[in-house]
Amino acid sequence: ASRASAAAAAPIRANVVVRSMPSNASYTYEDDPVQAAPGSGQYPDAAYVARVIAQFPDQGIATAEEGRCLWDDGYVILDVRAPCEIEFMGKCPNPPAPGQSKGDCVTVVPLVHAQRRYDAASGKKVYVQTPNDQFLREAQRAFPDTSSKLLVVCSDGRLRATAALALLRGAGYTGAVGMEGGCTLWCREWDQHLRRRNLPGKFSRGFDSPMFVDSNVVAESFGGDDWRDDVQWMVPDAGVC
């Protein structure tokens, strides 16, 4: 069933366009979603949406733009990040359907268990990792139907999502699709209501606040290649999960 009204493994492509945001700046977005003109090749243009839906799950890896179309087509998100990582970095958008109080289209099944602990050698908190040897069983309990439409994400759509996809496909999940850029690019493109983030529209620097008086911030950046997670996440062997 379509969820359009609710919103009010292939290699990673190298030409991802990224809008990076400084962590200590505040932004405001338009209240209404940005509407794509007909034939624009963007969601929610009807021809574009229909073309994307026809390409999946066979295409294997979806961009954030394509993923938005798939969400409306009934795909749900399988987030394979660790709970403490999600708490630190943020949740995937999970807006409620009409008449519901909360969303039910994001399921967390960690591929790797982790705890954030201070490491004296590096002088910062790090993730202490152990493989989740029950990953596949937990995923199967969450999605007993192997034809389930799944968008599989980790932090950046690389190591863990790719490994999770291989496990799921090996177990017969025919509707499992990866998300290019993972939760990072998904959340940069879409807000918590799955409306497009309109970065070129209303922008507030946020650095005029007294809290930034002693900061060294002198400029903003809207480019870069910083969507990749710099944490070295382990990839469990297939036999372990």
Side-chain angles (χ1 to χ4, degrees), residues 132-151:
N132 179 8
D133 58 6
Q134 298 296 309
F135 169 77
L136 192 53
R137 294 182 183 88
E138 292 173 5
Q140 289 170 329
R141 283 197 297 269
F143 303 101
D145 183 357
T146 55
S147 64
S148 297
K149 296 178 176 180
L150 305 177
L151 287 170

Side-chain angles (χ1 to χ4, degrees), residues 81-226:
R81 296 177 297 163
C84 69
E85 177 190 5
I86 295 172
E87 181 179 359
F88 180 67
M89 299 300 297
K91 299 179 180 179
C92 283
N94 190 16
Q100 296 182 347
S101 60
K102 62 179 181 180
D104 60 358
C105 297
V106 176
T107 299
V108 177
V109 180
L111 183 68
V112 175
H113 291 304
Q115 293 182 326
R116 279 177 57 82
R117 294 179 181 172
Y118 180 76
D119 177 62
S122 61
K124 62 181 181 180
K125 285 189 174 183
V126 299
Y127 289 103
V128 179
Q129 306 173 37
T130 55
N132 179 8
D133 58 6
Q134 298 296 309
F135 169 77
L136 192 53
R137 294 182 183 88
E138 292 173 5
Q140 289 170 329
R141 283 197 297 269
F143 303 101
D145 183 357
T146 55
S147 64
S148 297
K149 296 178 176 180
L150 305 177
L151 287 170
V152 182
V153 302
C154 61
S155 56
D156 60 9
R158 297 191 298 159
L159 295 178
R160 288 174 294 169
T162 300
L165 275 173
L167 289 168
L168 291 166
R169 289 170 178 168
Y173 282 84
T174 58
V177 171
M179 182 84 78
E180 188 175 272
C183 193
T184 298
L185 291 189
W186 179 245
C187 292
R188 286 187 184 181
E189 190 64 32
W190 309 103
D191 69 13
Q192 288 299 312
H193 300 283
L194 285 181
R195 299 172 301 194
R196 190 186 301 278
R197 294 192 187 274
N198 188 20
L199 291 182
K202 297 179 180 179
F203 167 67
S204 174
R205 282 185 56 189
F207 301 127
D208 296 329
S209 169
M211 67 182 292
F212 297 121
V213 168
D214 297 322
S215 75
N216 294 320
V217 177
V218 295
E220 304 86 24
S221 173
F222 286 93
D225 197 27
D226 63 346

